[in-house]
Amino acid sequence: MLSDVYYLLRVKADGRYLTARPNAEESGYVLLFRENFDALSYLNTHAADVANRFAVESLPGNQLSSLLKRWGFVGVAIVTDPLLPQVEFLQHS
């Protein structure tokens, strides 16, 4: 996981990352995609009307832990199928 490159969706206006929040009290899980085109497919399928408000950003796996700490995320949500969507939640410890 550390040698992989992941893709995230970031709001252009304020720089926040797109997250999944299964529990309203927690800060959420940052959505990760394995490919750039998966992130774009997710946007075009589920948020076509606001897709132009997001940018796709790449992140090396070795920087993932520091991003989670800096933004206070609970963990990551790896999107395995952007069209359905299927999401795998991993909690950071």
Side-chain angles (χ1 to χ4, degrees), residues 7-82:
Y7 298 89
L8 302 89
L9 293 170
R10 197 165 196 177
V11 180
K12 291 177 183 178
D14 61 9
R16 289 181 298 149
Y17 290 100
L18 186 62
T19 60
R21 297 184 69 175
N23 186 348
E25 295 86 45
E26 295 177 346
S27 62
Y29 296 79
V30 64
L31 288 178
L32 297 180
F33 300 86
R34 297 211 184 262
E35 300 291 340
N36 184 0
F37 59 81
D38 283 342
L40 294 173
S41 292
Y42 182 86
L43 273 180
N44 290 331
T45 302
H46 304 289
D49 53 333
V50 294
N52 62 342
R53 297 181 190 172
F54 290 89
V56 178
E57 183 177 285
S58 63
L59 180 75
N62 62 358
Q63 293 180 4
L64 192 54
S65 181
S66 62
L67 178 119
L68 295 175
K69 288 177 188 173
R70 181 174 51 244
W71 286 82
F73 294 124
V74 176
V76 298
I78 300 174
V79 180
T80 56
D81 185 345

